[in-house]
Amino acid sequence: MTQKGSMKPVKKKKTEEPELEPLCCCEYIDRNGEKNHVATCLCDCQDLDEGCDRWITCKSLQPETCERIMDTISDRLRIPWLRGAKKVNISIIPPLVLLPVFLHVASWHFLLGVVVLTSLPVLALWYYYLTHRRKEQTLFFLSLGLFSLGYMYYVFLQEVVPKGRVGPVQLAVLTCGLFLILLALHRAKKNPGYLSNPASGDRSLSSSQLECLSRKGQEKTKGFPGADMSGSLNNRTTKDDPKGSSKMPAGSPTKAKEDWCAKCQLVRPARAWHCRICGICVRRMDHHCVWINSCVGESNHQAFILALLIFLLTSVYGITLTLDTICRDRSVFTALFYCPGVYANYSSALSFTCVWYSVIITAGMAYIFLIQLINISYNVTEREVQQALRQKTGRRLLCGLIVDTGKVLAHL
């Protein structure tokens, strides 16, 4: 009897766990911790109803209401998947939809092309400063870059190759360049040199660990990992090693305050910095690049430079092949600004529009590549340059391309 009585509460415990039931493909756990269904994505949204009412009545909408609406949309935008619906990052969608539409509209007429191709960089810069001011991660630029590569290659195969001016060897070289870009980007997306707390003993952090570190700090320590790691791309002398190893909170109070990261709860090595977007410290942090949605630091700086170089070479080669096909018997530079009859055929007009779009993107990447080469030659990082300009300790040279931070000799 006692055994049977003792088994009854065990049966009750098993029946009191309905939350452990597996989710179907269309169910998910929302941000409030409640089970929801994809079919109810438009139900029970008071903020959206209020926003629509104020928009219909021509009343202003509060910024807080807009943020709540965007948070609700991003939480409910999901696709059915095994063991629960998966969330889709809303910032991925605009490039996939708007880029083909804008390029096709721009190919209708020359004036439309000028307006669209001028407005695209302006919109991209506006969105960049919007997200940069809010210190938020976004997949918009990574999605735009990858989709632009794929769509330009698709237009090249559909509109340029069938004209017979591009040989198999040229197509193979362009395809290899595209794959090399993807490989270099994959390498650049890896760990840029995240600093972990020595108490954890983990040097390579997963995405889940990074999220935890961005929310809370770990235990305080008096040292830092990788004291023998170099702090730059170039070879550093041993003068930096004692400087890095002497970074103890008990030393100079001013220096300890600069090197101590209260968010990550660790002492930063030389030239490391805390990224407010990624929420973690990075060794020899150069900058946070929105095109790869990651920081550029000690471990991935070379891959980042390599990706830029391969992209520039492949893009220029693709532009040359396209202009040689649609504007025959003209030099590349002349055909770029003067190509008679290019808008008479929709196929050639679309190809010409994609060429100019590629030129704009290539010019922007070339500027980033040039700045990176200048910074490497002066052995400074982009963060150090911007910090010197904010503190008014640096001066611009050569039309602003070179910034003398006044601390170059300290790193040589």
Side-chain angles (χ1 to χ4, degrees):
M1 293 297 292
T2 57
Q3 293 180 352
K4 292 182 179 180
S6 62
M7 292 177 64
K8 288 182 180 180
V10 177
K11 293 181 179 179
K12 290 182 179 180
K13 288 183 179 180
K14 291 183 179 179
T15 58
E16 292 177 356
E17 295 179 353
E19 66 276 6
L20 296 180
E21 296 179 0
L23 300 174
C24 74
C25 62
C26 295
E27 293 179 338
Y28 63 94
I29 304 299
D30 60 14
R31 56 180 180 174
N32 298 323
E34 300 176 355
K35 182 184 292 186
N36 213 328
H37 199 277
V38 175
T40 62
C41 60
L42 299 178
C43 301
D44 192 19
C45 186
Q46 298 179 358
D47 295 327
L48 183 59
D49 295 338
E50 179 186 354
C52 293
D53 293 338
R54 298 183 70 88
W55 179 72
I56 293 174
T57 56
C58 299
K59 295 181 180 180
S60 61
L61 196 62
Q62 297 296 329
E64 296 80 7
T65 305
C66 295
E67 292 182 2
R68 290 196 301 267
I69 292 175
M70 295 304 298
D71 292 339
T72 303
I73 293 176
S74 62
D75 182 57
R76 297 185 179 184
L77 186 62
R78 298 173 182 261
I79 57 175
W81 202 256
L82 298 176
R83 298 181 180 180
K86 297 295 184 181
K87 183 186 292 186
V88 178
N89 196 310
I90 194 173
S91 60
I92 299 177
I93 300 177
L96 306 181
V97 177
L98 297 179
L99 182 61
V101 174
F102 283 162
L103 291 180
H104 280 276
V105 171
S107 61
W108 289 350
H109 194 270
F110 171 75
L111 294 179
L112 284 175
V114 172
V115 172
V116 171
L117 293 177
T118 304
S119 61
L120 281 178
V122 175
L123 292 175
L125 288 175
W126 171 79
Y127 186 77
Y128 168 75
Y129 285 112
L130 178 65
T131 55
H132 186 73
R133 186 176 67 251
R134 297 175 63 180
K135 304 301 179 185
E136 295 180 351
Q137 282 191 336
T138 176
L139 294 176
F140 175 85
F141 295 96
L142 179 61
S143 174
L144 177 62
L146 295 177
F147 186 68
S148 297
L149 285 175
Y151 191 71
M152 294 301 104
Y153 187 70
Y154 170 77
V155 172
F156 184 83
L157 294 179
Q158 294 293 322
E159 307 296 342
V160 179
V161 174
K163 297 182 184 298
R165 297 275 295 183
V166 178
V169 178
Q170 295 171 321
L171 180 60
V173 171
L174 188 66
T175 305
C176 290
L178 181 63
F179 278 105
L180 290 177
I181 293 174
L182 297 178
L183 289 176
L185 285 176
H186 176 71
R187 177 62 185 85
K189 279 282 294 178
K190 289 187 176 181
N191 191 335
Y194 293 123
L195 282 171
S196 60
N197 195 296
S200 63
D202 294 333
R203 293 193 177 184
S204 59
L205 303 177
S206 61
S207 58
S208 59
Q209 291 173 327
L210 294 180
E211 292 177 0
C212 294
L213 285 176
S214 63
R215 297 192 189 113
K216 62 180 180 179
Q218 298 180 351
E219 299 179 357
K220 293 184 179 180
T221 57
K222 294 184 178 180
F224 59 89
D228 56 340
M229 301 291 287
S230 61
S232 64
L233 279 177
N234 300 329
N235 294 329
R236 299 173 61 189
T237 60
T238 56
K239 295 181 180 180
D240 289 339
D241 292 336
K243 185 183 296 184
S245 60
S246 62
K247 292 186 172 187
M248 304 296 290
S252 174
T254 305
K255 190 65 177 175
K257 185 178 180 181
E258 294 178 357
D259 297 335
W260 175 257
C261 180
K263 294 182 179 180
C264 297
Q265 297 293 298
L266 51 80
V267 180
R268 292 190 292 257
R271 310 178 77 180
W273 198 251
H274 184 87
C275 178
R276 291 177 290 179
I277 299 178
C278 294
I280 194 170
C281 290
V282 181
R283 287 190 181 91
R284 197 188 181 275
M285 177 178 172
D286 190 84
H287 68 287
H288 181 89
C289 181
V290 295
W291 293 104
I292 62 175
N293 192 33
S294 178
C295 289
V296 177
E298 181 182 80
S299 300
N300 67 340
H301 202 169
Q302 293 179 348
F304 178 74
I305 299 296
L306 182 62
L308 286 176
L309 178 60
I310 298 176
F311 171 79
L312 292 176
L313 295 177
T314 305
S315 180
V316 171
Y317 187 65
I319 291 172
T320 303
L321 292 178
T322 305
L323 289 178
D324 183 65
T325 301
I326 62 178
C327 299
R328 302 181 181 182
D329 301 330
R330 294 182 183 274
S331 63
V332 176
F333 186 80
T334 303
L336 190 61
F337 294 95
Y338 182 69
C339 187
V342 70
Y343 284 93
N345 185 6
Y346 182 77
S347 175
S348 60
L350 179 61
S351 302
F352 189 72
T353 303
C354 291
V355 163
W356 262 106
Y357 174 76
S358 301
V359 168
I360 295 174
I361 299 297
T362 304
M365 296 298 111
Y367 174 77
I368 297 176
F369 183 71
L370 178 61
I371 294 298
Q372 287 293 314
L373 292 182
I374 293 176
N375 290 344
I376 292 173
S377 64
Y378 277 77
N379 197 19
V380 295
T381 62
E382 184 64 22
R383 188 199 66 83
E384 293 170 347
V385 169
Q386 297 301 325
Q387 188 179 26
L389 292 177
R390 285 194 298 267
Q391 297 176 354
K392 297 181 180 180
T393 58
R395 56 193 183 94
R396 294 182 178 272
L397 304 173
L398 196 62
C399 300
L401 290 177
I402 301 176
V403 176
D404 183 10
T405 62
K407 300 179 181 180
V408 179
L409 296 178
H411 303 307
L412 291 178

